[in-house]
Amino acid sequence: MTLDISGLKVSIGGKEILGGVDLRLAAGRVHGLAGESGSGKTMTGLAVLGLLPHGARVSGSIRLGERDLLTLPPKELNRVRGGEVAMVFQDPATSLHPMLTIGKQLTEHMRHHLRLGRAEAKARAVELLGKVRIPGPEEAYGRFPHQFSGGMRQRVAIAIALACSPKVLIADEPTTALDVTVQAGVLRLLRGLCDELGLAVLLVTHDLGVMSAVADEVSVMKDGLVVESGPRGQVLREPAHAYTRSLLDSLPDAELR
Amino acid sequence: MSDTTGPPPSGGAGPSSTRKEPPPSGGAGPLATRKIRRRGAHPLARFLVRRVLLAVLMAWGITLVTFVLTNLVPGDPVAANLGQRALGDPAIVAQWRAEHGLDQPLWRQYLLHLQGLLQGDLGTSQQSHRPVSQDLAEFVPATLELAGAAILVSLVLGVAFGVVAALRRDRLSDHALRVLSLIGISVPTFWLALMAFYLFFYRLQLTPGSGRVDAALGLAPAVTGMQTVDALLAGRWDIFSSAVAHLVTPALVLALYTIGLLTRFTRSAVLEVLGQDYVRAARAKGLPGRVVLFRYVLRSALVPIITVAGLAFGSLLSGTVLVEAIFAWPGIGQYAYKSATTLDLPAVMGVGLVVGVVYLVINLVVDVLYGVIDPRVRLH
């Protein structure tokens, strides 16, 4: 299934945040969304799930298959959230509830969306924990987030996002809060899952190094607009837009060029 | 486009790691297990034992403090208790002091006091000429009943109001509830008690007047000393309804302040949690609104709420004096007032001890609740 964002405009309190964003995610492909802080990358991701801050005005369309997510009634949107479109947040230290076991956080939406029984949900959760390479998935199931390291927590968050077999995964800076040494592992995991499960992934990042490692397509945002979009090799090697070139030039080493 | 894009992205990306992880202990492997220690006992049980031992130590501290403070009070209990004529007679004064152990050095008095306490003997009240423990057994349950009803009402209403105000932030209901809680916090209790008594009893005749039950019905056989509970235990519905009717007004008067307090604290606690990442993550999972509210938001907000509720319950207990006086509620507040004004030292110490121990128990309960709600408290 594809996710088609076209002409997405968002304004909050009269201030325009997104000025007509077009993006197209395809199954089995990782679409990287780059740009500096405040360029609207995260807002684009949040808009897909209808999680924009209060008072945000949205126009345009976000089509998932036949449906437009922007006009979906709340109940149906709730079925899409977690069920068909899932999200991984930036900081796993704050995006997991500190007082709930990861087993609870892994199974609650499975039981709600997929109507699984307790035992089935647990079996699937343990399988997922294995899939994201958490050591000792059985024991990990009953533990709390603070008992895991940052990288492990982000793997748990990815497992939670994948629990209901979504078609689309929005990863909002999934490695920014992590140590450089564990970033690569998490990225490889995301890439592998995308290929294996045929996920359409939107990878939001300000980090062009991350981008070059895993993205198939790259879009570059500036001031709420997509200024350049295309296959990774083309955008990163022969940037057409001056802004993309300046982003690339600002990298400390020349590994990309 | 080549799929074997050279080195992994770890090398580049200077500005990436904004938040430092704790240093990994030996490679990026199974770090997860490093914080978990295997222990014999259940962590919650260990946590409980530690807290109870601490509470016992504190209880001893309370006996010391109440004893010292009570004996520091300027004023001569002899003068307060003996008549003018008896005071003029040194023999009577000496005999009275000996009778009450006042001729002993202070440290001996404390040891004797402690010895008595261990045997459940709190001394004899110089006013009622009954054991203090007997007096307390009569008055404490009445106050516990009153304050307990008040805290129950405040918890239910305060938390509900606070949640509603937070969820409907900056709308009409939020503003209305905030004004209400401000009124609750700022209206003096004695004035409110008088007004409620005047309005509901005297003018509207909605509620029975003072006391705990209708005198005609008599009291339920004492088990806990709390009329509502005892009446239920005895199956006496007539006494129960009369006791509840007597309880409603003073409990509400007492609760209004705490309701206002809890409304404000709950509102700000819920608002803070609503802004957390994990609440947004819960919404992104497509969980129904009520699940997000109860499982994700309230669970976290409960920690500051029970802290305030615990403190409020303590101050309710010791703050009932005025309400008890106005509603003629035979509780510990009235007893404390009478004992203090007559320098009835054993009674004053007894009251101090009870209030101290009640605070201790409340703190213990709050601590245990922290451990039950938040795994990070009990696991460390």
Side-chain angles (χ1 to χ4, degrees), chain B residues 269-280:
Chain B
V270 168
L271 277 181
E272 194 186 320
V273 178
L274 279 176
Q276 296 288 324
D277 260 7
Y278 53 75
V279 173
R280 201 169 55 177

Side-chain angles (χ1 to χ4, degrees), chain A residues 191-211:
Chain A
R191 177 75 246 187
L193 291 167
C194 170
D195 296 337
E196 183 188 341
L197 306 173
L199 281 172
V201 178
L202 179 67
L203 179 68
V204 176
T205 181
H206 65 255
D207 186 337
L208 290 175
V210 165
M211 198 68 83

Side-chain angles (χ1 to χ4, degrees), chain A residues 97-99, chain B residues 159 262 265-266 269-270 273 278 296-311 366-377:
Chain A
H97 198 294
M99 304 174 192
Chain B
V159 171
L262 280 173
F265 267 89
T266 306
V270 168
V273 178
Y278 53 75
Y296 278 74
V297 177
L298 271 187
R299 186 181 293 256
S300 302
L302 227 51
V303 173
I305 292 172
I306 58 172
T307 308
V308 176
L311 289 173
V366 166
D367 273 354
V368 170
L369 283 178
Y370 284 156
V372 171
I373 295 172
D374 192 343
R376 289 168 300 181
V377 173

Side-chain angles (χ1 to χ4, degrees), chain A residues 29 46 49 51 78 81-83 85-87 89-91 94-100 104-106 108-109 112-113 135 139 143-144 146-153 160 176-184 187-188 206-207 209-210 212-213 216 231-233 237 251-253 255, chain B residues 1-5 7-24 28-36 38 167 171 273 276-291 295-297 299-301 303 373-380:
Chain A
R29 310 285 279 175
L46 290 177
L49 281 171
L51 291 173
N78 244 2
R81 287 172 176 169
V85 181
M87 190 150 181
F89 291 88
Q90 176 170 348
D91 188 352
T94 57
S95 68
L96 297 173
H97 198 294
M99 304 174 192
L100 296 171
K104 182 83 188 165
Q105 301 189 58
L106 258 167
E108 54 182 356
H109 54 317
H112 178 73
H113 287 306
E139 293 129 62
R143 290 194 193 131
F144 292 94
H146 71 274
Q147 295 171 309
F148 294 86
S149 67
M152 287 297 146
R153 268 186 227 145
I160 290 173
T176 306
L178 302 180
D179 240 4
V180 186
T181 48
V182 296
Q183 283 185 358
L187 285 175
R188 265 198 297 275
H206 65 255
D207 186 337
V210 165
S212 72
D216 299 308
R232 170 184 60 187
R237 280 170 216 285
L251 283 179
D253 53 349
E255 71 176 77
Chain B
M1 164 173 65
S2 73
D3 275 328
T4 53
T5 311
S10 51
S16 59
S17 53
T18 47
R19 193 166 317 203
K20 273 279 174 256
E21 288 283 314
L31 303 176
T33 48
R34 99 189 109 104
K35 276 186 191 165
I36 298 151
R38 287 267 162 258
L167 292 181
R171 303 214 212 149
V273 178
Q276 296 288 324
D277 260 7
Y278 53 75
V279 173
R280 201 169 55 177
R283 291 216 180 94
K285 285 159 85 176
L287 296 174
R290 73 196 134 75
V291 175
R295 195 177 293 159
Y296 278 74
V297 177
R299 186 181 293 256
S300 302
V303 173
I373 295 172
D374 192 343
R376 289 168 300 181
V377 173
R378 64 173 182 261
L379 289 170
H380 286 283

